[in-house]
Amino acid sequence: MQAFWRDATEFLPILMSGVALTVIVTIGSLLLSTALGLVWALMRVSGIGIFTGFSAGLINVIRGIPIIVLLFYLYFVMPELGLTLTALQAAILGLGIAYSAYQAENFRAGIEAIDKGQIEAAQAIGMGWWQTMRRVVLPQAIKIVLPPYGNIMIMMLKDSSQASTITVAELALQGKLIASSTFKNTSVFTLVALMYLTMSIPLILLVRHFEKRAGHK
Amino acid sequence: MIELTNVHKSFGKVEVLKGITASVEKGEVVCIVGPSGSGKSTILRCINGLESYESGDIFVEGARVDRTAPSIVAIRTQVSMVFQRFNLFPHRTALENVIEGPLYVKKEPRAEALERGRALLAQVGLAEKADSYPPQLSGGQQQRVAIARALAMQPKAILFDEPTSALDPELVGDVLSVMRKLADDGMTMVVVTHEMGFAGDVADRVLFIDGGVIVEQGPAKSVLNQPQHARTQDFLRRVLHPL
């Protein structure tokens, strides 16, 4: 146990630099996936055939490709096609795209859960499609969407470790580097696991808060 | 003001409107009665473009109703709708529900919309409920807010789709008296209803619809008291003497 604490004080500063990148990747891909997911979801419910088809097809393609392959593609293949991304950019883009499919399905479920009468009432006072979405449907859908959204945030935090496969020195990769140079596997990976858990706790509490609030209504 | 000419409408293979021809004059109160599933609500929903129709014409103040055309917005701001299940926006207060259209569709100045919104809530007897959310209101109160929301658009006509059918019996009177006052003030109204008392007292004309056609129409008193058609007689007997 004493050895663990000694290792912890020694490795923690290095691991913290990994934490910083983990947070950046998570927040970056969260924002990107939310924005893209909303776009896919709105296209899907637009009632315009070409948008609906495009969105449905795209979501299936994204869902069918493993995140790690998507990351490899962006980082290793795109340069050959003339688009060179830094490892961090590729990681955020890859995770953002991969998760946009799940975000989109979550948003769509929320939008479709809203009573049709709400949409008719909005139309009956002369609102167009976009105004109906923005003023009537989306504000009500948020309450439904938030609890699953919180879960997606937690999954994203953990899946940000996949960025290590394209050399982003986030928490998991820093841990692996320390472990392979010091052979203190137990201390290092216990620390890494605890640090992921510590970062998840606020998110878990947030999800619980969302669920309670959704339950009240 | 509202003209329907030979309107046909199907849901899939089921034809619900089989050639409806009718008109509503300015200031007139027309009640549409008939058995459920006869197409009463569909007529209303076609008039403000919530449903499309396959053939025939509907004109509102000379403009043809086509739910896919941009002109539908102008028609909807002139012809408001009150729904059976109120359809208030639950995330907005009563007052916010009322000013939503004036503020965000008609782009009226906020102060003006607020002032008229409060006046309208007072008109339907709910001045003190301005800051309540719909789930905190009774069905009758919600429906009166919905009527205020319809009035806030300063419409030329209001369509009522079974406005009291979802209400507890003791709350029906409040809503009907608000509607009666509107009728007295000269509002053009088309009301789908099962309230024969209201139809008899307030309506200028009654249309009896069955199976997607207008079976009988005429002045309220004569249709309700001396129905000519057997189907009308049968329907009225069932409604007025259910036992």
Side-chain angles (χ1 to χ4, degrees):
Chain A
M1 196 65 197
Q2 237 173 358
F4 176 77
W5 289 118
R6 207 173 44 242
D7 292 345
T9 46
E10 189 187 342
F11 301 146
L12 212 51
I14 311 172
L15 290 177
M16 283 311 285
S17 74
V19 166
L21 269 171
T22 292
V23 169
I24 289 170
V25 169
T26 305
I27 291 177
S29 46
L30 186 68
L31 294 177
L32 182 63
S33 66
T34 304
L36 289 177
L38 194 58
V39 172
W40 309 151
L42 288 174
M43 284 170 83
R44 186 73 188 271
V45 301
S46 66
I48 299 169
I50 180 166
F51 284 171
T52 308
F54 174 81
S55 163
L58 187 70
I59 287 170
N60 280 328
V61 168
I62 295 172
R63 270 199 299 212
I65 299 175
I67 294 175
I68 197 167
V69 176
L70 200 59
L71 291 175
F72 287 166
Y73 211 88
L74 285 170
Y75 192 55
F76 299 119
V77 180
M78 289 315 274
E80 288 180 24
L81 304 174
L83 179 68
T84 307
L85 298 166
T86 67
L88 183 63
Q89 287 168 342
I92 290 174
L93 199 59
L95 282 163
I97 291 172
Y99 268 86
S100 71
Y102 305 109
Q103 300 275 27
E105 290 296 272
N106 181 29
F107 293 152
R108 180 169 72 101
I111 290 169
E112 288 180 347
I114 302 304
D115 181 18
K116 292 281 168 290
Q118 290 290 309
I119 295 164
E120 292 185 348
Q123 289 179 338
I125 56 172
M127 285 190 176
W129 184 86
W130 174 240
Q131 210 171 21
T132 302
M133 278 293 153
R134 202 168 48 84
R135 298 280 317 160
V136 176
V137 177
L138 293 180
Q140 295 184 64
I142 282 178
K143 282 200 199 80
I144 302 165
V145 160
L146 273 181
Y149 187 83
N151 283 320
I152 292 176
M153 282 165 68
I154 296 171
M155 281 160 58
M156 267 187 127
L157 171 68
K158 295 184 296 177
D159 271 341
S160 68
S161 61
Q162 301 212 42
S164 65
T165 58
I166 55 167
T167 76
V168 177
E170 45 65 70
L171 182 52
L173 183 56
Q174 291 287 16
K176 197 176 147 220
L177 292 174
I178 299 172
S180 54
S181 59
T182 63
F183 302 108
K184 291 182 172 164
N185 286 313
T186 312
S187 301
V188 172
F189 288 121
T190 306
L191 268 176
V192 168
L194 286 173
M195 289 170 88
Y196 273 113
L197 196 57
T198 310
M199 286 190 279
S200 302
I201 286 170
L203 297 179
I204 292 168
L205 293 175
L206 196 64
V207 173
R208 190 186 294 173
H209 171 73
F210 288 156
E211 279 170 350
K212 246 189 228 156
R213 236 183 36 173
H216 272 308
K217 284 274 165 181
Chain B
M1 153 160 205
I2 301 173
E3 298 272 351
L4 296 89
T5 315
N6 200 22
V7 174
H8 287 259
K9 159 82 186 166
S10 304
F11 289 112
K13 286 187 181 139
V14 185
E15 192 172 29
V16 286
L17 299 183
K18 301 171 184 168
I20 298 286
T21 299
S23 65
V24 180
E25 301 304 321
K26 190 170 182 300
E28 209 180 13
V29 178
V30 174
C31 279
I32 304 178
V33 302
S36 44
S38 58
K40 308 182 300 283
S41 294
T42 307
I43 294 177
L44 287 196
R45 294 164 60 80
C46 285
I47 292 174
N48 78 341
L50 288 178
E51 300 284 357
S52 57
Y53 50 98
E54 278 96 48
S55 65
D57 289 302
I58 301 177
F59 285 95
V60 172
E61 293 262 84
R64 189 171 188 275
V65 177
D66 175 358
R67 75 188 302 259
T68 57
S71 60
I72 193 67
V73 172
I75 291 172
R76 283 171 175 161
T77 57
Q78 288 174 27
V79 181
S80 291
M81 180 120 177
V82 172
F83 297 89
Q84 181 175 358
R85 289 178 48 241
F86 332 132
N87 296 354
L88 292 179
F89 306 130
H91 57 303
R92 306 202 188 283
T93 64
L95 183 60
E96 286 168 345
N97 265 279
V98 174
I99 63 173
E100 182 76 15
L103 218 48
Y104 295 96
V105 177
K106 296 179 101 180
K107 316 278 185 208
E108 288 177 17
R110 190 172 188 89
E112 199 177 292
L114 276 171
E115 190 184 335
R116 213 177 61 245
R118 287 187 194 285
L120 285 168
L121 282 176
Q123 186 184 331
V124 298
L126 293 172
E128 78 286 4
K129 297 288 184 188
D131 298 321
S132 302
Y133 285 88
Q136 300 165 332
L137 300 174
S138 73
Q141 290 170 333
Q142 288 191 53
Q143 193 59 299
R144 284 184 281 153
V145 173
I147 292 173
R149 177 173 69 178
L151 287 170
M153 299 303 287
Q154 297 180 302
K156 293 181 175 147
I158 304 184
L159 312 174
F160 293 83
D161 187 4
E162 301 198 25
T164 58
S165 297
L167 298 178
D168 291 338
E170 79 272 20
L171 303 175
V172 169
D174 290 341
V175 172
L176 289 183
S177 68
V178 166
M179 290 169 61
R180 175 195 291 267
K181 231 182 298 168
L182 282 181
D184 292 345
D185 292 346
M187 177 59 78
T188 309
M189 295 162 62
V190 184
V191 186
V192 170
T193 187
H194 292 294
E195 297 290 336
M196 295 305 150
F198 177 83
D201 284 353
V202 180
D204 298 305
R205 261 188 318 129
V206 168
L207 309 186
F208 173 72
I209 299 209
D210 193 10
V213 295
I214 298 177
V215 175
E216 186 165 350
Q217 62 172 310
K221 293 274 185 307
S222 69
V223 174
L224 296 175
N225 296 334
Q226 290 109 34
Q228 300 301 307
H229 202 285
R231 277 195 279 176
T232 321
Q233 292 165 1
D234 182 50
F235 172 76
L236 289 172
R237 197 163 42 236
R238 286 159 190 267
V239 171
L240 298 173
H241 309 287
L243 295 178

